[in-house]
Amino acid sequence: MARADDVPGPAGARLSEGRARVARLARQPQRTLRLHVRRSLPCDAGADRGRRLRHLRRPAAPVRADEAADRRRRPAPVKAVVVGGGLAGCAAALELLKAGHEVTLLEARPTLGGAVQTLPEREGDPRPPPDNGQHIALGCFTEYLGFLRDIDQAGSLRRSRLSLPVIDELGRTAVIRPSALSILRYSHLFPTHRLRVLRTLLRLRRVDPRSCDEETFCAFLMLRLGESEPAIRSFWDVFIRPALNLPCDKASAALGVMTVQTALLSGRRRASDLLLPTAPLGDMHGVAAGHKLESLGARVKTNTRVVQLIPGAAVLADGDRVVGDAFVVAVPPLESARLLDEPDPELGKSPIVSVHLWFDRELLPFPLAALLNSDAHWIFDRGRLTGHRPERGQYLTVVSSGVPELMDVRGRELVELMRDELTGRLGDARLLWSRVSREPAATFEGRPGTAARRRGPRTSRFNVVRAGAWTDTGWPATMESAVRSGRTAARMLSDVATKLAA
């Protein structure tokens, strides 16, 4: 009920005056009691205080205002089971622990981290052992950065302004930076094409990504915005392919537009920054998350595959059951559909192939670079980025995004292919060591029509929520999407906790 002072106009004034007159007429004992409602009475209060009243007025332990509000809002704790220990599952588990719930995390693999892993170390490997791809993030990945802070790994990223050297077939280098002047100087395009790229960027500010999911980003740029084929090949593909794990002529325009708007056109300071890992991916994600979860009281069980969800329990492959009140299903789309008795969302799979090469001399003068018109899309100086340069030569990682044909190329042939791509543009060198890693289902295929098939966190079961980079976060299948989905799913379980406690 509003105070009289809050009532507008003369009526409020009259109510206030009336209240004041009543207060002046009150007897002394009434005044004392009325004051006590607002604060504790001094020890030498009036003689009207009897023993009974004194007992009632004994002050309680003080509670800060923010604590009181938190106590009102926080739901009763529940036993939460998180199925899947990738970034989405780990993020959900951390969020549930923060809310005071009891958490058990179940992961089928031997390690946490999902698609973000470090390969098992072999004798003769340079330090550090290779990762299953060179996962990079952008400055706009705010939830991912928050997740790394939560697991004490914020210092495991090297942050730098976007400055990407792009090397063509003749070994000539031009640099992409997030400025109009840089684009006007981008020598892999004719001047007229550079101006057209700037015009396209201006027009993309006004596009609603949700309106263009039925066409490819390439078709959208060329047919709607008048972009040129050379610009698609030499500029847009360089940026879009690693972000979406698909080239422009296959990727959904909705995801392409969202990526450009968020990273390049948002107006947020340093949103386009490159965030490069300086530690092995497995250590700074799965291992660190596992330690943090256990330190906060979670039960973490690896090599534990969930084969079925029944009311009140997750059934394991060995027949055991893990009892819970609420569940987060944070696994790939097909497995999620199986556990939730849903149809396959048919999102497809897009691979990442990485070839790790140690040469007898330095080839790449930059920390990273992109190659034009090559299956070796991006190159990273792993030794420099991790602070472990080999005593001799250079340790490089070559990443190919969204080229399924490479999955069938034999290891030695693949190594030779990537070696020749590098030495053909950067000069001759002798290969000392190599290793190949392949992720056939690194991400879902973000093709046209994808948005309608990406499911949200809610499921048909009131105490089960869904998470994963593939779910409907509005983001491509990135580490940011994974973390966002996990946190959203965990917050939704607060409603479940309230219902269970009622």
Side-chain angles (χ1 to χ4, degrees), residues 42 59 70 115 227 251 355 382 407 483:
D70 186 59
E227 263 299 1
V355 181
R382 183 159 173 77
M407 296 299 297
V483 173

PDB file of all heavy atoms in Angstrom, residues 42 59 70 115 227 251 355 382 407 483:
ATOM      1  N   PRO A  42      16.448   2.060  23.195  1.00  0.00           N
ATOM      2  CA  PRO A  42      17.586   2.064  24.117  1.00  0.00           C
ATOM      3  C   PRO A  42      17.270   1.268  25.367  1.00  0.00           C
ATOM      4  O   PRO A  42      16.117   1.009  25.700  1.00  0.00           O
ATOM      5  CB  PRO A  42      17.793   3.552  24.413  1.00  0.00           C
ATOM      6  CG  PRO A  42      16.466   4.179  24.152  1.00  0.00           C
ATOM      7  CD  PRO A  42      15.847   3.410  23.036  1.00  0.00           C
ATOM      8  N   PRO A  59      16.591  -7.459  20.017  1.00  0.00           N
ATOM      9  CA  PRO A  59      17.017  -7.290  18.614  1.00  0.00           C
ATOM     10  C   PRO A  59      17.551  -8.571  18.011  1.00  0.00           C
ATOM     11  O   PRO A  59      18.237  -9.343  18.683  1.00  0.00           O
ATOM     12  CB  PRO A  59      18.117  -6.219  18.701  1.00  0.00           C
ATOM     13  CG  PRO A  59      18.607  -6.289  20.115  1.00  0.00           C
ATOM     14  CD  PRO A  59      17.414  -6.666  20.954  1.00  0.00           C
ATOM     15  N   ASP A  70      18.458 -11.166  -1.285  1.00  0.00           N
ATOM     16  CA  ASP A  70      18.902 -12.434  -1.861  1.00  0.00           C
ATOM     17  C   ASP A  70      18.151 -13.595  -1.237  1.00  0.00           C
ATOM     18  O   ASP A  70      17.780 -14.543  -1.896  1.00  0.00           O
ATOM     19  CB  ASP A  70      20.411 -12.607  -1.648  1.00  0.00           C
ATOM     20  CG  ASP A  70      20.953 -13.829  -2.351  1.00  0.00           C
ATOM     21  OD1 ASP A  70      20.811 -13.896  -3.575  1.00  0.00           O
ATOM     22  OD2 ASP A  70      21.483 -14.731  -1.674  1.00  0.00           O
ATOM     23  N   ALA A 115      34.545 -30.231 -27.146  1.00  0.00           N
ATOM     24  CA  ALA A 115      35.294 -30.100 -28.395  1.00  0.00           C
ATOM     25  C   ALA A 115      36.584 -29.309 -28.230  1.00  0.00           C
ATOM     26  O   ALA A 115      37.343 -29.170 -29.184  1.00  0.00           O
ATOM     27  CB  ALA A 115      34.414 -29.416 -29.444  1.00  0.00           C
ATOM     28  N   GLU A 227      27.627  -6.931 -53.603  1.00  0.00           N
ATOM     29  CA  GLU A 227      29.039  -7.256 -53.410  1.00  0.00           C
ATOM     30  C   GLU A 227      29.597  -7.993 -54.622  1.00  0.00           C
ATOM     31  O   GLU A 227      28.854  -8.580 -55.412  1.00  0.00           O
ATOM     32  CB  GLU A 227      29.243  -8.096 -52.149  1.00  0.00           C
ATOM     33  CG  GLU A 227      29.662  -7.302 -50.929  1.00  0.00           C
ATOM     34  CD  GLU A 227      30.983  -6.575 -51.105  1.00  0.00           C
ATOM     35  OE1 GLU A 227      31.612  -6.652 -52.178  1.00  0.00           O
ATOM     36  OE2 GLU A 227      31.392  -5.889 -50.153  1.00  0.00           O
ATOM     37  N   ALA A 251      27.174 -20.864 -45.696  1.00  0.00           N
ATOM     38  CA  ALA A 251      26.705 -20.422 -44.381  1.00  0.00           C
ATOM     39  C   ALA A 251      25.424 -19.605 -44.485  1.00  0.00           C
ATOM     40  O   ALA A 251      25.200 -18.875 -45.458  1.00  0.00           O
ATOM     41  CB  ALA A 251      27.787 -19.591 -43.702  1.00  0.00           C
ATOM     42  N   VAL A 355      46.595 -29.471 -38.803  1.00  0.00           N
ATOM     43  CA  VAL A 355      47.872 -30.124 -39.092  1.00  0.00           C
ATOM     44  C   VAL A 355      48.958 -29.336 -38.365  1.00  0.00           C
ATOM     45  O   VAL A 355      49.102 -28.121 -38.566  1.00  0.00           O
ATOM     46  CB  VAL A 355      48.153 -30.163 -40.607  1.00  0.00           C
ATOM     47  CG1 VAL A 355      49.479 -30.873 -40.882  1.00  0.00           C
ATOM     48  CG2 VAL A 355      47.011 -30.879 -41.338  1.00  0.00           C
ATOM     49  N   ARG A 382      52.419 -21.503 -33.002  1.00  0.00           N
ATOM     50  CA  ARG A 382      52.067 -22.039 -31.677  1.00  0.00           C
ATOM     51  C   ARG A 382      53.194 -21.828 -30.674  1.00  0.00           C
ATOM     52  O   ARG A 382      52.942 -21.564 -29.499  1.00  0.00           O
ATOM     53  CB  ARG A 382      51.728 -23.519 -31.799  1.00  0.00           C
ATOM     54  CG  ARG A 382      51.268 -24.148 -30.491  1.00  0.00           C
ATOM     55  CD  ARG A 382      50.478 -25.410 -30.716  1.00  0.00           C
ATOM     56  NE  ARG A 382      50.166 -26.101 -29.483  1.00  0.00           N
ATOM     57  CZ  ARG A 382      49.215 -25.721 -28.634  1.00  0.00           C
ATOM     58  NH1 ARG A 382      48.488 -24.650 -28.896  1.00  0.00           N
ATOM     59  NH2 ARG A 382      48.980 -26.409 -27.529  1.00  0.00           N
ATOM     60  N   MET A 407      38.615 -34.887 -44.582  1.00  0.00           N
ATOM     61  CA  MET A 407      38.473 -35.964 -43.609  1.00  0.00           C
ATOM     62  C   MET A 407      38.899 -37.304 -44.195  1.00  0.00           C
ATOM     63  O   MET A 407      39.298 -38.218 -43.469  1.00  0.00           O
ATOM     64  CB  MET A 407      37.025 -36.053 -43.120  1.00  0.00           C
ATOM     65  CG  MET A 407      36.539 -34.839 -42.353  1.00  0.00           C
ATOM     66  SD  MET A 407      37.483 -34.538 -40.842  1.00  0.00           S
ATOM     67  CE  MET A 407      37.102 -36.023 -39.928  1.00  0.00           C
ATOM     68  N   VAL A 483      28.863 -21.312 -23.715  1.00  0.00           N
ATOM     69  CA  VAL A 483      28.784 -20.781 -22.349  1.00  0.00           C
ATOM     70  C   VAL A 483      27.451 -20.093 -22.111  1.00  0.00           C
ATOM     71  O   VAL A 483      26.821 -20.267 -21.067  1.00  0.00           O
ATOM     72  CB  VAL A 483      29.962 -19.820 -22.086  1.00  0.00           C
ATOM     73  CG1 VAL A 483      29.801 -19.123 -20.740  1.00  0.00           C
ATOM     74  CG2 VAL A 483      31.287 -20.578 -22.133  1.00  0.00           C
TER      75      VAL A 483
END
